[in-house]
Amino acid sequence: MIDLQLIYWLSGAYFAWLALAAIHDRSHSRPKANALFWGVLALLFLAGERLPNAVVGLLVVVLALIAGFGGLGQGTPARRDRDPAEEARRHGHRLFLPALIVPLFTVLVAVLLKDVEIAGQRLFGAQQTTLVGLGLACLIAIGAACLLVRQSPVVALAESRRLCDAIGWAALLPLLLATLGSVFTATGVGEAVAGVATAVVPADNRFALVLAYALGMALFTMIMGNAFAAFPVMTAGIGLPLLVQGQGADAASLAAIGMLSGYCGTLMTPMAANFNLIPAALLELKDPYGVIRMQIGTAIPLLACNIVLMYLIVFR
């Protein structure tokens, strides 16, 4: 049976490889710090559930200290034997095919294959099937990309290390911010938001509640840097108590459009560094906020469309 534990082990093995590659790279600017950072992350993925909570918390603090004090550096992966620009011109839009495999295969597993059995045994674990499908989809996409450009998986590993070195600690932002959302919910931030919303927004005005939820998702995402962090707070504060329970809104469609509203906030905030600041740095743009400035013209109309869709769909 393929379950989420296997995905964790594969991820942990990859982070362990990053640590070993850094420590053996003599040209690396900060090999020990990089090795410690990726090594700690590998330990958390490989054995986190077997470690005491206090130890896990301490290891997370270690990660934050390494990143916060600028401990990560860059190494020198193996030289490329092909020019990336020339490869991009030669393959054109076909380069997007491996990326499209990721959502397609994830949906295939989550919807059509989730209950498949072989010899009376489930093919995929009953828990977190979507995440299992996502992990497998990424592996299949890597294989497809290697076939498309006729390169070996070793080259894929080298290029992935180059990218991880360039992005650094920001690669963990989605994971950490999603965890931050859970922490906020557990500490009662959602209840505080609900109190403010009920005091300001008329409880019997559906459009006002939809507006508060969608705008709240976008604004909290801009503050926290990730829609996954904003989602549990806004859904616990406004979505579930006021829209689902109070107005009978459909929870599934409300959550889906709510997340899309949050993503509009992602397009407009420097807090989403891995989406907006890192690409500007990698592309060596003169304006570090150039990506955000270009995206605002799309984000605001898209948010307005999400508000209209939410109002028209979730109450049907």
Side-chain angles (χ1 to χ4, degrees), residues 133-222:
L134 176 61
L136 294 177
C138 292
L139 294 176
I140 294 173
I142 292 172
C146 290
L147 289 175
L148 177 64
V149 300
R150 297 181 181 179
Q151 291 277 19
S152 72
V154 175
V155 175
L157 281 174
E159 290 302 316
S160 73
R161 182 192 162 207
R162 190 192 307 272
L163 185 60
C164 284
D165 275 357
I167 297 177
W169 60 267
L172 302 185
L173 268 181
L175 173 63
L176 296 175
L177 291 171
T179 304
L180 179 62
S182 300
V183 172
F184 276 16
T185 302
T187 54
V189 176
E191 297 176 2
V193 170
V196 173
T198 53
V200 176
V201 182
D204 58 346
N205 189 323
R206 286 183 170 181
F207 183 77
L209 291 174
V210 165
L211 189 65
Y213 180 62
L215 290 178
M217 277 294 302
L219 291 174
F220 261 71
T221 298
M222 292 177 69

Side-chain angles (χ1 to χ4, degrees), residues 217-234:
M217 277 294 302
L219 291 174
F220 261 71
T221 298
M222 292 177 69
I223 294 170
M224 303 171 75
N226 192 291
F228 288 103
F231 181 77
V233 175
M234 295 306 302

